[in-house]
Amino acid sequence: MMRLWFRSGTPWIWLTAGAVSLSLIMVAGLLFLIAVRGMAHFWPAAVLEAKTGAPGAEQRIVGEIHNRERVLAQHLREAGIVLPLATSTWVERLLIKTGNRDATGQDFRWVLAHELRDTQYPKDIAVVERREWGSLYGRIANFKENGQVVAEGAAAVNALNERLPRTRELVERIRKIEKNDIGYINARIERLRLKQRKLELAHKFDDRQRAMLDAERAEAQGEFQELQNQLRKLSQESLRDSVAVEISDGRRVDVPLGKWVNFYFPNDMSIVAKVGFYIVKAWEFVSDEPREANTEGGIFPAIFGTIMMVLIMSVLVAPFGVVAAVYLREYAKQGVITRLIRIAVNNLAGVPSIVYGVFGLGFFVYFLGGNIDQLFFPEALPAPTFGTPGLLWSSITLALLTVPVVIVATEEGLSRTPRAIREGSLALGATQWETLWRTVIPMASPAIMTGLILAVARAAGEVAPLMLVGVVKLAPTLPLDMTPPFLHLDRKFMHLGFHIHDVGFQSPNIEAARPVVYATALLLVLVVILLNLGAIAIRNHLREKYRSLEH
């Protein structure tokens, strides 16, 4: 009876179903963990104030409980930590984010739970988000204008609420001038330098050309100097006011208002206020630029770079994959060579991605890019233009990596097109090309979109090849801006996958970076899902459009 049951194949069906279910449960569990850890990053946690240490040498500690863990008391005793005799087998240990790195030298501190005494959550404890040195925890003591105290206590908080929005506007104006206006002038001066160099190489640089270029350069330098004066005034104005914050050890730390990002009192916030704060911080995360070695701020450049690279890769991989598949299926003579090509295409899908990265670096960047620089940008040499990793080479490398998937999927779609439709089209007088273009390829378009979906899913998450052909830790400018030629394919860019690797493994402050890693990983999953949903919607539309032709 058991033999017949096994021969029927039922056990293998159940085994396969169980394996698929287990895989789905594991994926769902991983996504749930990432979502919980990532989304909790934006919630304003309560800030405790407690005493620790022996009586007479006690210290005050202020901060957020970042993590909890249980450790064996025996391990702590072996490490030289004195514990009470009545201590149980397990001891709870707390990781408290104390901030104030510029004053204390550390952001986090491990404390045994039983060592905390007189724990309370005062409502006047403020959390200050700064542009440098991370968060600051303490009580707002006074508000200074030009070094003179103008408000103390609650009045200082009111003055801070009044002045901070204006200071933020000043900082934003400084950022725009530095990034946009001065960046545009620097690009303009660089174009003038390259123009002069190009004329010199062509032996056409005469006194008239020199006078014209010098006049344009002087005009640009004048605009640059004017912007520098504006920056100096704005910077002085943004740093005019300062706030003194009393930290846990009783010292007062003066922070210029231009260094403040935000401040809040988490112990004095209602649920509604916390929800509003949560929404604002989540939006800042996806819309702002990173700061503090990518451990704070937003990740908009990484989101933009990821989507831009995937879109360019899709534009490149779709036509090449479809043309190759059409040739192999419709035009190539079916024989040994064609079978070998198909085997090679299938094997290419299994090549490690880092191999594509090495190939892209050697062939696309150094060979193609170097020759492009020699032919079209000799005036810029020895500084490379396209002979260096950038957005274009990253997109082409990933297109090469994912083109086998598109070829296989397109061939499957072409093979499923009914023969009667081809014959009917040819019988009506259409050529083979017209039959392919107007009938066969449109009917195979759902399969083409399936291949593109798989290509997008793989390309969006790849990191190893991008580390060699264009991705960087921090890109000062986006690949798309208002400076001609607007789309800068030669620029390096940020990527969500590399951002996770960099923050998670290269950060100098791993505890502060861990929540950012979870939040970025969650966002990368969401970006991949959104890109796939868009492609799936197009595929379903095409499938419904051409379904009537199959019957």
Side-chain angles (χ1 to χ4, degrees):
M1 193 69 180
M2 291 293 294
R3 186 177 301 174
L4 293 176
W5 185 56
F6 274 99
R7 286 181 178 179
S8 67
T10 303
W12 315 122
I13 295 175
W14 281 101
L15 182 62
T16 303
V20 171
S21 301
L22 181 61
S23 299
L24 291 176
I25 292 173
M26 294 174 65
V27 170
L30 177 61
L31 292 178
F32 178 77
L33 174 65
I34 293 174
V36 171
R37 295 287 183 89
M39 297 177 70
H41 172 58
F42 310 109
W43 188 259
V47 178
L48 65 81
E49 181 180 34
K51 295 179 180 179
T52 183
E58 58 189 15
Q59 300 176 347
R60 190 173 57 147
I61 185 170
V62 175
E64 306 172 7
I65 297 179
H66 193 72
N67 193 15
R68 297 173 182 266
E69 67 177 23
R70 298 178 67 201
V71 295
L72 284 170
Q74 182 62 28
H75 290 172
L76 295 177
R77 290 191 175 97
E78 291 175 355
I81 298 176
V82 179
L83 299 175
L85 296 177
T87 302
S88 60
T89 305
W90 295 92
V91 177
E92 185 179 28
R93 189 168 66 163
L94 307 177
L95 179 62
I96 299 180
K97 182 180 180 181
T98 57
N100 307 352
R101 186 169 70 247
D102 52 336
T104 62
Q106 59 182 359
D107 273 310
F108 293 86
R109 179 178 173 182
W110 284 103
V111 179
L112 299 179
H114 69 268
E115 291 182 346
L116 295 179
R117 303 188 306 276
D118 302 332
T119 302
Q120 52 185 337
Y121 295 86
K123 293 184 177 181
D124 60 342
I125 294 289
V127 178
V128 181
E129 298 178 11
R130 298 182 289 180
R131 303 185 188 280
E132 299 174 353
W133 299 105
S135 299
L136 183 69
Y137 295 85
R139 292 178 170 85
I140 295 177
N142 58 53
F143 186 92
K144 297 179 181 179
E145 182 176 327
N146 290 324
Q148 300 296 321
V149 177
V150 296
E152 295 187 1
V157 176
N158 295 333
L160 181 56
N161 283 320
E162 293 175 359
R163 301 285 184 90
L164 187 56
R166 178 177 174 276
T167 304
R168 287 194 191 123
E169 292 179 2
L170 293 174
V171 172
E172 182 63 20
R173 286 172 60 187
I174 292 173
R175 189 191 70 84
K176 287 183 177 180
I177 291 175
E178 290 177 340
K179 189 171 184 179
N180 299 335
D181 300 340
I182 292 182
Y184 177 77
I185 292 177
N186 287 335
R188 180 180 166 189
I189 294 175
E190 178 64 14
R191 285 197 299 269
L192 293 175
R193 185 189 71 83
L194 295 178
K195 184 178 179 180
Q196 177 177 335
R197 178 60 180 162
K198 188 174 183 179
L199 291 171
E200 290 174 349
L201 292 175
H203 304 288
K204 296 180 180 179
F205 187 63
D206 52 22
D207 292 338
R208 186 176 66 85
Q209 294 287 350
R210 182 189 301 275
M212 291 175 57
L213 292 177
D214 287 344
E216 292 185 37
R217 193 176 290 113
E219 181 183 355
Q221 289 288 356
E223 294 177 5
F224 178 80
Q225 190 60 44
E226 183 179 349
L227 290 175
Q228 286 287 355
N229 294 334
Q230 291 182 24
L231 279 179
R232 192 178 301 109
K233 293 178 181 178
L234 291 174
S235 179
Q236 292 175 354
E237 195 171 354
S238 68
L239 300 177
R240 181 193 64 184
D241 302 332
S242 65
V243 179
V245 180
E246 183 180 328
I247 60 177
S248 58
D249 59 5
R251 287 182 292 168
R252 291 190 174 185
V253 178
D254 275 340
V255 184
L257 209 55
K259 303 296 183 182
W260 288 51
V261 176
N262 192 17
F263 77 102
Y264 58 98
F265 298 90
N267 299 336
D268 196 30
M269 298 174 69
S270 63
I271 295 297
V272 175
K274 288 186 177 183
V275 171
F277 180 88
Y278 182 89
I279 295 173
V280 170
K281 297 306 294 182
W283 171 249
E284 289 179 358
F285 184 71
V286 300
S287 62
D288 283 356
E289 297 181 352
R291 61 178 189 272
E292 286 289 311
N294 291 348
T295 60
E296 295 183 12
I299 57 171
F300 176 75
I303 300 173
F304 188 90
T306 302
I307 296 177
M308 179 67 68
M309 183 209 64
V310 169
L311 291 178
I312 296 176
M313 181 275 302
S314 302
V315 171
L316 294 173
V317 75
F320 282 104
V322 172
V323 168
V326 168
Y327 177 79
L328 290 174
R329 174 60 59 179
E330 304 294 333
Y331 290 97
K333 183 179 179 180
Q334 303 302 313
V336 176
I337 295 179
T338 306
R339 287 198 297 270
L340 289 176
I341 292 175
R342 286 197 176 94
I343 292 173
V345 168
N346 292 329
N347 287 337
L348 280 175
V351 174
S353 61
I354 190 64
V355 176
Y356 286 95
V358 174
F359 175 79
L361 180 64
F363 181 73
F364 294 133
V365 177
Y366 293 151
F367 180 73
L368 285 183
N371 283 297
I372 289 174
D373 286 350
Q374 291 285 348
L375 291 174
F376 301 104
F377 304 100
E379 65 276 7
L381 293 174
T385 302
F386 281 94
T388 184
L391 178 62
L392 176 62
W393 306 131
S394 297
S395 302
I396 294 178
T397 301
L398 288 188
L400 185 65
L401 185 149
T402 55
V403 74
V405 178
V406 179
I407 292 175
V408 172
T410 303
E411 276 207 82
E412 289 296 325
L414 294 173
S415 65
R416 289 198 301 268
T417 303
R419 185 178 182 83
I421 292 179
R422 302 170 186 263
E423 294 175 347
S425 176
L426 296 172
L428 291 172
T431 63
Q432 185 179 8
W433 167 249
E434 290 173 336
T435 300
L436 280 171
W437 182 252
R438 296 178 178 273
T439 304
V440 178
I441 292 179
M443 291 187 63
S445 55
I448 297 173
M449 291 304 302
T450 299
L452 190 59
I453 290 169
L454 296 175
V456 167
R458 182 176 184 186
E462 283 292 348
V463 177
L466 298 179
M467 296 170 66
L468 300 176
V469 292
V471 75
V472 290
K473 174 186 178 72
L474 183 62
T477 53
L478 297 177
L480 185 66
D481 58 21
M482 299 304 295
T483 304
F486 308 113
L487 178 59
H488 305 272
L489 296 176
D490 57 315
R491 285 183 182 175
K492 296 176 176 59
F493 65 102
M494 295 182 66
H495 185 272
L496 285 172
F498 182 75
H499 188 80
I500 294 171
H501 165 77
D502 174 68
V503 175
F505 298 98
Q506 306 296 326
S507 174
N509 194 344
I510 187 61
E511 293 296 342
R514 184 174 293 134
V516 179
V517 171
Y518 283 112
T520 308
L522 175 63
L523 195 58
L524 176 59
V525 172
L526 293 178
V527 168
V528 173
I529 290 175
L530 289 176
L531 290 172
N532 286 343
L533 287 178
I536 289 170
I538 297 174
R539 182 190 64 183
N540 292 341
H541 172 73
L542 294 173
R543 182 176 294 167
E544 292 296 328
K545 181 178 180 180
Y546 297 107
R547 176 171 292 178
S548 60
L549 297 177
E550 299 177 1
H551 303 289

